[in-house]
Amino acid sequence: MITAYLTHPECHRHHMGPEHPESPMRLEAIHARLMRAGLLQQTMQGDAPAATDEQLTRVHPPHHLQSLQACVPEHGMVLLEDDTLMNAHSLQAARHAAGAVVSGVDRVYRHQADNVFCAVRPPGHHAERDLAMGFCFFNNVAVGAAHARQRYGAQRVAILDFDVHQCNGTIDIFRDDPEVLVCTSFQSPFYPWRHLSTDAPNIINTPLPAGTDGPTWRRAIERDWLPALDDFAPQIVLISAGFDAHRDDPLAECCLDDADYYWITRLALDVAARHAEHRLVSVLEGGYDLPALGRGVEAHLKALMGLPLD
Ligand SMILES: [Zn+2]
C-alpha cells in the first residue's frame, strides 16, 4: 500500500496562545512518534497546497472568506469566538489544511497513492458554511468532498467522523444532500451543542454517553454505520480523524484505546475496498493529549499502510 502523508510548515505557525490545547505541538508530537516508529519514512510525504478561493467557495460563501481575511492581525492574536483565535498565519494555515484534502482526493483518483493522511491544523469539522468556531476556520473535509464531486463527478461521498465532538459544521454544509453520507460518533450531550439531533436521512448520528469504552463504541459503529454505508455504496471515503475520544484526552470523557483507532481505520478501508476502489482520504481533526495523539495516529497510519498494529 502507498500511503501519502501531507502536511505544510504553515500549519505549525498558526497558534492560539501558550495555554491553548489546539497547538503546533500536536503536529510535532505526531511527527516525532511516526519518525520513531519508522513509519513516516515509509509514506509518500508531500506538501499540502493552499486551497484556492474557488475550492473553498464550493462550501463556504465568499463573505465567509472575506470576513475572515478582514480579521487577520499583523501581530498578536484576535479572538473570533469563545476559544477560536487567529494570528498572522492562521488563515494561510487553514488554506493549506483544506488544500491538503483537495490534494489527497486528487492523489487517490489519479492513482498516485492508495490512501492519504493529512497531518494538518487548524482542524475543520466545526466550521459551518459561514461560521468559524471550535478551533476551525474552513471545513477541510467538506472542501475535499466538494472537490471529489466537482472534479471527478463523485455522486456518493461518505464522511466518517470519529472525533469525540459532533461535526456540526459538516452537517450544516451537507444536511439533506443525498450525495453525501455523514456518519458521526460523539460524546453526548456535549460541545458543539448544535445540530446534535439532526434527523436528515443522510446524517447518521451515533451519540455516546460519557465513559463509553471501546467495545461499546465498536458495537454502535457496526450497528449504525455499516448498514448505512453498504446501502449508500460510496465512491470515495473521507475520514475526519479526531483522536480526542481517547481515554487519556483532557477535553472529553470517552475511553477509546489506540487499538480502537486501528479497528475503525480497518473498517473504513474495508468499506472503501468494497465500494470505492479503495479511495480513502483522512484528515486530522482533534486529539489533545500529546502522547495519546501520537499513538492514535500511529495506529491509524499502520492500518492505512496495511501493517499489523503490533
Ligand atoms: Zn474534537
Side-chain angles (χ1 to χ4, degrees):
M1 299 287 273
I2 297 175
T3 296
Y5 182 91
L6 305 181
T7 187
H8 195 277
E10 279 295 307
C11 296
H12 294 257
R13 296 189 184 115
H14 157 60
H15 71 83
M16 301 187 282
E19 304 298 321
H20 202 293
E22 205 292 276
S23 84
M25 289 190 292
R26 298 177 61 233
L27 291 183
E28 288 154 23
I30 291 170
H31 188 268
R33 179 84 198 180
L34 297 179
M35 282 293 282
R36 237 184 1 261
L39 283 181
L40 202 54
Q41 301 86 330
Q42 299 176 52
T43 64
M44 181 195 286
Q45 299 181 59
D47 263 354
T52 63
D53 283 1
E54 186 205 335
Q55 290 161 354
L56 294 172
T57 54
R58 290 169 182 158
V59 304
H60 298 292
H63 72 80
H64 179 65
L65 277 59
Q66 289 150 9
S67 65
L68 286 177
Q69 187 62 48
C71 293
V72 177
E74 270 185 55
H75 314 285
M77 287 181 290
V78 290
L79 182 69
L80 292 187
E81 171 267 350
D82 289 348
D83 42 19
T84 307
L85 298 95
M86 190 185 258
N87 73 355
H89 300 281
S90 301
L91 211 53
Q92 204 51 28
R95 281 193 181 257
H96 285 282
V101 191
V102 169
S103 176
V105 167
D106 284 337
R107 285 168 196 248
V108 295
Y109 270 104
R110 293 175 188 166
H111 304 289
Q112 294 163 336
D114 293 300
N115 52 52
V116 179
F117 179 68
C118 304
V120 289
R121 53 182 292 278
H125 72 156
H126 294 308
E128 300 187 356
R129 285 175 192 277
D130 57 0
L131 183 65
M133 63 175 274
F135 318 162
C136 302
F137 300 86
F138 301 129
N139 194 308
N140 307 324
V141 80
V143 172
H147 187 66
R149 298 164 84 178
Q150 186 86 16
R151 179 72 183 75
Y152 300 99
Q155 293 177 315
R156 295 185 306 282
V157 179
I159 298 175
L160 312 186
D161 189 321
F162 54 78
D163 191 277
V164 81
H165 303 98
Q166 196 228 31
C167 54
N168 61 293
T170 313
I171 291 172
D172 179 65
I173 291 165
F174 293 123
R175 182 181 40 200
D176 289 318
D177 184 332
E179 295 190 354
V180 180
L181 180 72
V182 180
C183 299
T184 170
S185 64
F186 52 94
Q187 183 176 326
S188 178
F190 203 39
Y191 187 88
W193 313 112
R194 301 157 65 84
H195 298 291
L196 291 179
S197 56
T198 306
D199 60 358
N202 67 317
I203 308 298
I204 308 297
N205 279 307
T206 300
L208 308 163
T212 296
D213 63 7
T216 309
W217 174 74
R218 292 186 192 197
R219 281 196 297 275
I221 298 292
E222 284 174 340
R223 177 194 68 214
D224 296 350
W225 293 15
L226 267 187
L229 284 164
D230 280 330
D231 260 9
F232 183 70
Q235 293 160 316
I236 182 167
V237 174
L238 305 180
I239 300 181
S240 271
F243 297 87
D244 42 9
H246 194 281
R247 65 169 69 251
D248 294 342
D249 199 277
L251 264 57
E253 291 115 22
C254 283
C255 298
L256 302 192
D257 282 318
D258 308 345
D260 294 313
Y261 294 113
Y262 187 84
W263 177 86
I264 188 75
T265 310
R266 289 283 332 152
L267 182 143
L269 286 163
D270 288 346
V271 170
R274 280 203 294 282
H275 303 290
E277 296 174 30
H278 300 274
R279 286 185 286 267
L280 184 151
V281 178
S282 174
V283 58
L284 181 67
E285 299 283 0
Y288 304 99
D289 179 80
L290 298 179
L293 174 63
R295 295 197 311 274
V297 173
E298 179 183 345
H300 185 53
L301 257 280
K302 280 180 169 168
L304 291 180
M305 297 165 76
L307 300 172
L309 179 57
D310 297 311

